[in-house]
Amino acid sequence: MHFTHAITRLPADTFSQGISTANLGKPALQKAVEQHEDYVRALQLSGLTCMVLPPAPTFPDSVFVEDTAIVTNNFAVIARPGAQSRLGEIDEMTTILRYHFSKVHQIQEPGTLDGGDVCQVEGHFFIGISARTNQNGANQLAEYLKMHAYSSEIVPICEFSGILHLKSAVNYLGEETLLVDPRLADHSAFQKYRRLVVSLEDAYSANCLRVNEVVLVPSGFPKTLELVQKAGFQTTELDASEYQKMDGGLSCLSLRW
Ligand code: GLY
């Protein structure tokens, strides 16, 4: 999958008031801004034109733009975030995506769907059912994907405590390879792929992000870095510590197509 565009949003001064279960303390805003700058630079170095939206203080979690939509090369689906405090994040994103895409679908009530629960593997999508994404939202997305000749499959993750979104635990690195949390490594949905399994203590680092030639890896996880490198991938480490404190990872910080 080759990307040419990305959308990101700067963290707001309300960032620390977002939803968090991480128990890692409050994020430092200035450090989060610097980490965001490094992230945007990494996307640009990979050849992407990167839109950086201004902070949206009304929505403390709005830096995690990935949850607001699912984007492909030729259409977008506006999500319907499962956390009430995040629902309004989709309004501005809808306007922006309508400018970029001629075909824009929308998940409707009673469906809920966070983009973080959607993992694209070439022409196939895994859709996680989680505390944020319900069956109705997953079914709506599956219908839209089918209209555009993509296949999909649902992966329930509610039973795994501490896994917020599917992509907190499963990410596609390219070359038929998934990076997975050990709790999902043996799931039948993933059997046909090469699986690189992070250790449980490093579960956060299952959220790596392949962007064109490079895999972005959160810094501080040397075993995962080695795992990805030994599998033949070029890597760039990025510090995501302030986002980890708010339950977010590298994929959550952008929409890419
Ligand atoms: N703090 C990110 C989220 O809960 O969606």
Side-chain angles (χ1 to χ4, degrees), residues 74-76 97-105:
N74 47 359
F75 68 97
L97 292 178
R98 284 197 191 284
Y99 174 79
H100 284 281
F101 293 89
S102 55
K103 195 77 204 162
V104 178
H105 306 284

Side-chain angles (χ1 to χ4, degrees), residues 165-198:
H165 290 127
L166 180 64
K167 272 191 293 203
S168 310
V170 183
N171 287 274
Y172 183 54
L173 301 187
E175 282 83 53
E176 301 295 309
T177 303
L178 296 170
L179 185 66
V180 288
D181 180 300
R183 290 166 287 181
L184 280 159
D186 293 326
H187 193 289
S188 57
F190 308 130
Q191 295 308 301
K192 68 175 188 179
Y193 299 98
R194 175 168 71 148
R195 279 155 286 150
L196 307 180
V197 185
V198 305

